Amino acid sequence: MNKEVYCSAMDHLEGQSDGMQTLLARIETGEKPRLSVLKRIPPSLRKAAEFAAAAACLAILSLFIFPLFQSNQIKLPNSSSNVTARVVKNPELNGQSFRQPAGLSEEDIFQRADTVLSGTVEKMETLEIVLGKDVSYRSLITVSTDNVWRGTVFAGSAVQILLPCAIDENSSSSNSQSVLSQIRTGMHGIFLMESFTQDSRYTSGDQYLSLIDLAPYGLSDDASAFIEKNGSIVYRTESFPGLIANPTWDEVCGYIAGMMDKQPTTAVDNTTITGPSATSDANTTNGSATTSDTKNTTTAGSGANSTTTAIRPVKYSGPPADDFDFVYDNNGNYYRIAKDGTKVLFNLPKPSSALQSGGVYANGEWVYYVLWVPGQSSEEDGIYRCRPDGSESTMLCKFTGTFSLTFTDNAIIIKSDFQHLYSMNKDGSNLRKLCDLPADGVYTPYFLNNNFTSNNQYAYVFEGKSDYTYLLQISLSDGSYSPIHEWKTTEWLNRSLAKAEDGWIYYLENYSYDNKFVGTIKRIRMNGTEDTVLRTGDRTIGNMQVFNGKIYFQYTGEGNALYQMPVDASSQPQLINMPNIDFTVYTIRNVYIQSNHIYIECSAGGAALHTFRMNPDGSGAVQVN
Amino acid sequence: MSETLTGQESIVRMVKAYYKTLMRIAFTYVKNAADAEDIVQDVFLSVYTNMPDFESPEHEKAWLIRCTINRCKNHLCTAWLKHTEPMDENLSYLPQEENEVLSAVMQLPEKYRIVIHLHYYEKYTIDEIAKLTGCKPAAVNSRLARARERLKSQLKGGFDSE
């Protein structure tokens, strides 16, 4: 039979290339797959092609890159095209270098600051900003932190802070009324800062400068700093009536700590980032007041923000405190969402900027997160945790490679490189290897996917091949494991775990082949008995979630309907009332459940994304991006 | 690691599951293992970069195959290939019978090769091939019939219908 011979020939072809191993090695070391472009060029032309490529790179460097260095231009990827900013030396700064505070109370000043720290000014630069017809100057300071009362900065790290004014370091006649104008390199101080977000901008007409292009943090006004100068503390006394007169450094620190205790840390309102248009700003060379400020708060459901950035909840593992959710967007920004839908940027505390987030997990009163340096092994790769306001950040353990986390009441279970399980206490103690899952020979962990699920005693995974699958139960106390249920089938099934809850494991079984489609929701006891079909039908099922006694799911291809049914299937699935979305345009791409909310991510033709948050019954829907 | 590494885990799983399938499909189009390898890497690069959300494993596999087919077509349309004769893979290492059959299939026009491969090797139905290649089922059926007809004249026994 020639078709069998053809298949055999195709099988033999596979063995001629080690491309898959090379590709896997690249991916596992964090390197992106890349094309071997030169392979397409005849060997006789390769030298010439390499020379041409080198010449082209040099030309690009000389045309675009070198001039940037030469002119100290700052890249502004998030700002409008005609806006420029550059570092300048000894600019002509006329007038005073301070901003009047906005008349806020003592409590309000601490309320608006999402980051409060002390440190030494290591570097000070002056930026020239050209925004439309306006030219203005701002100082950018780099502070080496030594104490952090609030925020996501590590003590010992350096942070850049944008000041709302420019400081002339060479001037000896600094205005005695101004605190900020007295800042100098080498000085020690306390800074009440605000994190910039994508929405923090200086605007002039339709031009805008995104402040996040200049620095991650900013000071609002003259009431944002306490400076240690010549043995005394310089600060705006009328803004802090609760602080005793002529305080010592320790007394100021005590006062700050006391104010921190008074302030709720979960309801930060970043509304007061001010732009260069404030009337007291004397450094705008033409004195123009045409620029305006943009508020830094996005409120869910306001409809004012037309961004198409997708928002989705972070990994939900265990109950987080119920007054906030954590979400992240496509740009890698994390946010905390308060009950009223207010979204606040949440900067992951990092010991160094090279580290990138490998995931955030909300669990109880802590936020656990993974940091790593892509493409290389770093001493700082590992698992960290902090409070929901970013304080008390600590590294729990060093950990490298590919892994994901699951939480029990007291422990973190780490699944590493698909088949190694580790456990440690939530404070980072008692890190130990539980077991290596079987992954050789017949038992290729083909179905070992990310839906790894655990309760407090056992973890569960599906293993096996397409025609033989088993559910493996792994003891979280000693790492022993055993198959507790087996399925033998000739059909191409895909099983995925959804959740282990109340003694049951809920899972999905989809079958599609030869124009036949079957989607089945099943559950099985945690001891491997009572494998039960809850619902089956001639459509495959996706986006299944189990939450609070209900199973939520969608039928594949039916993009605009979300169903719920009781976990025991005692009643028929019911459609959930959806928010007022134009489903002739949008379809639901993903469904997530975190805390007490359902998040649905909608797209239009794979392009524009909007995320809605609603209560489990479909009420209270708000748009969160 | 969760978002990043979950993506990494996911792409590793995809590579393990689908690399060979996609290599075979790409080879069927471009008749050259090195080019096929580049195309498949390009497909996984696209997944790595965009991390599309798939509705189901079937959707995932179909997306990857469709993506591979599109890239193969683009590859065959490049100006370079239009003005050069691509070097076919040397199949002399294969057993004689396999060499003959594979060479005969590879001599078919590309639109016939792909339906033969998807149908006989990947076991896809006419409707599924139609979806994957963007053709009507009737067109797939007729291509399959014509391909079999041609192979019948070149190979003893041809490719029997089922």
Side-chain angles (χ1 to χ4, degrees):
Chain A
M1 292 295 191
N2 285 324
K3 64 180 182 182
E4 281 80 17
V5 177
Y6 171 79
C7 294
S8 171
M10 274 295 183
D11 287 339
H12 283 124
L13 273 181
E14 296 166 5
Q16 300 305 307
S17 170
D18 61 352
M20 182 171 82
Q21 295 309 325
T22 311
L23 184 58
L24 284 172
R26 281 182 183 150
I27 293 167
E28 282 170 2
T29 56
E31 185 185 351
K32 284 187 177 182
R34 59 185 165 82
L35 289 176
S36 51
V37 176
L38 284 177
K39 267 198 277 185
R40 298 178 176 184
I41 300 172
S44 57
L45 294 177
R46 281 183 195 169
K47 282 284 175 199
E50 285 171 359
F51 179 76
C57 289
L58 203 60
I60 290 168
L61 281 172
S62 58
L63 279 174
F64 300 106
I65 310 297
F66 291 154
L68 280 181
F69 284 112
Q70 286 164 1
S71 61
N72 292 324
Q73 288 284 357
I74 296 170
K75 283 189 178 177
L76 306 171
N78 300 300
S79 305
S80 52
S81 56
N82 293 333
V83 180
T84 61
R86 65 185 182 118
V87 177
V88 291
K89 287 183 179 173
N90 304 318
E92 286 291 324
L93 299 175
N94 301 315
Q96 300 168 339
S97 298
F98 73 99
R99 292 179 64 89
Q100 293 288 357
L104 298 174
S105 69
E106 194 172 19
E107 285 76 18
D108 289 342
I109 290 170
F110 281 93
Q111 175 80 22
R112 73 182 175 182
D114 58 22
T115 304
V116 180
L117 53 80
S118 67
T120 304
V121 180
E122 291 198 329
K123 187 178 175 186
M124 184 182 293
E125 294 172 309
T126 306
L127 307 182
E128 182 188 78
I129 298 166
V130 181
L131 182 60
K133 294 177 181 175
D134 302 334
V135 179
S136 58
Y137 295 91
R138 294 288 177 273
S139 284
L140 182 68
I141 59 173
T142 304
V143 173
S144 175
T145 59
D146 51 42
N147 191 17
V148 180
W149 285 275
R150 177 188 290 169
T152 58
V153 177
F154 264 90
S157 62
V159 291
Q160 284 194 310
I161 307 168
L162 184 70
L163 304 192
C165 57
I167 298 168
D168 184 357
E169 277 209 273
N170 299 321
S171 169
S172 57
S173 60
S174 56
N175 188 304
S176 61
Q177 299 298 311
S178 164
V179 177
L180 297 185
S181 67
Q182 299 185 52
I183 296 177
R184 296 288 182 274
T185 305
M187 276 187 177
H188 192 231
I190 294 170
F191 303 93
L192 281 59
M193 316 182 317
E194 294 169 53
S195 305
F196 290 147
T197 69
Q198 297 283 354
D199 301 321
S200 308
R201 295 173 173 179
Y202 292 161
T203 59
S204 174
D206 56 354
Q207 300 291 311
Y208 62 90
L209 168 68
S210 188
L211 300 183
I212 208 162
D213 286 343
L214 302 179
Y217 300 97
L219 298 186
S220 296
D221 51 41
D222 225 32
S224 303
F226 298 76
I227 308 297
E228 206 173 11
K229 184 181 179 185
N230 301 329
S232 62
I233 309 297
V234 179
Y235 68 102
R236 196 169 189 276
T237 50
E238 55 269 47
S239 297
F240 302 99
L243 181 58
I244 59 169
N246 301 318
T248 63
W249 178 259
D250 288 341
E251 284 166 343
V252 174
C253 289
Y255 166 74
I256 298 280
M259 291 305 291
M260 293 294 106
D261 291 341
K262 283 185 188 176
Q263 298 293 321
T265 55
T266 54
V268 180
D269 181 8
N270 289 357
T271 57
T272 53
I273 303 298
T274 51
S277 64
T279 52
S280 63
D281 185 356
N283 288 328
T284 303
T285 52
N286 60 4
S288 165
T290 55
T291 51
S292 62
D293 301 342
T294 301
K295 288 196 173 184
N296 198 15
T297 294
T298 50
T299 301
S302 68
N305 189 348
S306 62
T307 177
T308 56
T309 304
I311 292 284
R312 59 183 63 155
V314 301
K315 294 279 181 186
Y316 166 70
S317 292
D322 63 4
D323 60 342
F324 62 83
D325 285 348
F326 276 95
V327 297
Y328 68 96
D329 66 20
N330 288 348
N331 298 322
N333 296 319
Y334 291 90
Y335 301 90
R336 205 172 65 229
I337 295 190
K339 269 183 179 172
D340 63 357
T342 307
K343 188 166 69 135
V344 178
L345 185 70
F346 174 72
N347 287 322
L348 283 178
K350 296 178 186 176
S352 65
S353 58
L355 289 160
Q356 291 188 12
S357 162
V360 175
Y361 302 77
N363 183 270
E365 295 299 322
W366 291 93
V367 178
Y368 295 81
Y369 56 105
V370 173
L371 294 179
W372 67 313
V373 180
Q376 65 183 77
S377 181
S378 158
E379 276 295 296
E380 291 167 330
D381 283 2
I383 301 168
Y384 294 71
R385 77 172 182 181
C386 66
R387 293 291 187 187
D389 64 354
S391 63
E392 298 181 47
S393 52
T394 48
M395 184 187 209
L396 296 180
C397 70
K398 291 179 183 174
F399 215 102
T400 57
T402 303
F403 61 91
S404 57
L405 309 181
T406 304
F407 293 78
T408 68
D409 286 351
N410 302 312
I412 302 172
I413 311 300
I414 306 160
K415 177 162 68 80
S416 165
D417 293 328
F418 306 101
Q419 62 184 97
H420 313 297
L421 288 192
Y422 296 82
S423 170
M424 71 175 176
N425 296 341
K426 286 184 175 176
D427 61 1
S429 62
N430 196 24
L431 172 65
R432 68 192 200 282
K433 189 174 194 176
L434 283 177
C435 65
D436 295 328
L437 295 171
D440 55 343
V442 178
Y443 303 116
T444 306
Y446 189 75
F447 290 107
L448 184 57
N449 54 28
N450 292 313
N451 295 312
F452 170 81
T453 307
S454 76
N455 62 0
N456 284 317
Q457 286 96 38
Y458 299 104
Y460 298 89
V461 295
F462 281 124
E463 292 229 27
K465 296 185 105 177
S466 55
D467 57 350
Y468 174 66
T469 318
Y470 58 90
L471 183 61
L472 202 64
Q473 184 187 59
I474 305 133
S475 165
L476 296 180
S477 56
D478 61 9
S480 61
Y481 55 78
S482 57
I484 56 169
H485 195 88
E486 297 176 3
W487 294 267
K488 285 182 182 173
T489 173
T490 55
E491 295 177 326
W492 202 95
L493 287 175
N494 180 265
R495 289 195 180 86
S496 53
L497 285 164
K499 199 175 183 186
E501 187 175 82
D502 298 333
W504 291 93
I505 296 164
Y506 295 85
Y507 69 99
L508 199 54
E509 198 174 75
N510 277 322
Y511 167 80
S512 70
Y513 187 70
D514 201 17
N515 285 336
K516 274 170 61 185
F517 300 93
V518 182
T520 307
I521 297 172
K522 298 175 81 175
R523 70 175 181 179
I524 185 170
R525 287 277 183 198
M526 285 182 180
N527 59 10
T529 62
E530 296 183 54
D531 187 28
T532 313
V533 173
L534 295 174
R535 181 164 185 83
T536 188
D538 58 359
R539 287 183 289 180
T540 53
I541 293 171
N543 284 329
M544 179 172 141
Q545 305 263 356
V546 182
F547 176 70
N548 238 6
K550 297 269 175 54
I551 298 172
Y552 296 82
F553 65 95
Q554 283 197 288
Y555 289 110
T556 306
E558 194 178 276
N560 57 358
L562 181 64
Y563 296 85
Q564 68 167 28
M565 68 176 194
V567 288
D568 59 1
S570 57
S571 62
Q572 289 292 311
Q574 290 186 336
L575 262 173
I576 292 179
N577 290 323
M578 281 292 166
N580 187 22
I581 305 167
D582 183 359
F583 279 118
T584 59
V585 177
Y586 289 102
T587 55
I588 297 175
R589 268 177 63 157
N590 286 302
V591 177
Y592 309 92
I593 295 180
Q594 179 177 303
S595 191
N596 287 313
H597 294 111
I598 298 175
Y599 286 80
I600 58 171
E601 186 181 283
C602 300
S603 68
L609 287 162
H610 292 287
T611 307
F612 296 85
R613 188 187 74 172
M614 58 192 194
N615 296 324
D617 62 356
S619 65
V622 290
Q623 188 174 341
V624 293
N625 68 330
Chain B
M1 293 183 193
S2 188
E3 314 322 328
T4 305
L5 287 180
T6 294
Q8 199 179 10
E9 283 190 0
S10 169
I11 196 169
V12 168
R13 181 189 55 76
M14 274 189 240
V15 170
K16 286 180 176 171
Y18 301 122
Y19 185 90
K20 291 177 179 177
T21 301
L22 302 188
M23 266 297 285
R24 286 186 217 110
I25 289 170
F27 181 86
T28 307
Y29 263 98
V30 300
K31 301 196 284 187
N32 177 303
D35 285 343
E37 199 173 287
D38 277 357
I39 287 164
V40 174
Q41 285 213 16
D42 192 21
V43 171
F44 285 114
L45 176 65
S46 174
V47 178
Y48 195 94
T49 309
N50 302 316
M51 278 297 161
D53 288 318
F54 297 111
E55 294 168 359
S56 62
E58 307 80 57
H59 178 216
E60 178 182 273
K61 187 178 181 185
W63 188 91
L64 289 166
I65 290 177
R66 184 67 194 259
C67 200
T68 305
I69 290 174
N70 287 342
R71 275 169 170 72
C72 287
K73 287 179 176 173
N74 290 344
H75 175 84
L76 295 174
C77 288
T78 54
W80 173 265
L81 284 171
K82 281 190 170 177
H83 293 91
T84 55
E85 186 62 34
M87 196 164 60
D88 288 352
E89 190 81 357
N90 179 0
L91 302 174
S92 60
Y93 61 86
L94 291 175
Q96 188 186 351
E97 193 183 17
E98 290 180 10
N99 189 339
E100 282 175 16
V101 173
L102 191 55
S103 297
V105 173
M106 289 299 143
Q107 281 169 22
L108 294 172
E110 143 215 331
K111 60 184 179 182
Y112 294 158
R113 291 200 302 270
I114 192 63
V115 292
I116 285 282
H117 180 80
L118 291 176
H119 188 64
Y120 287 108
Y121 192 95
E122 302 294 344
K123 312 288 184 200
Y124 277 112
T125 62
I126 304 288
D127 285 347
E128 286 168 333
I129 296 171
K131 282 178 190 166
L132 289 171
T133 55
C135 301
K136 290 181 179 173
V140 174
N141 210 0
S142 111
R143 285 177 190 180
L144 206 50
R146 285 176 190 160
R148 282 195 210 108
E149 198 62 34
R150 290 198 185 197
L151 289 172
K152 204 172 182 179
S153 65
Q154 293 177 39
L155 296 170
K156 187 183 174 185
F159 263 52
D160 41 348
S161 58
E162 284 301 330

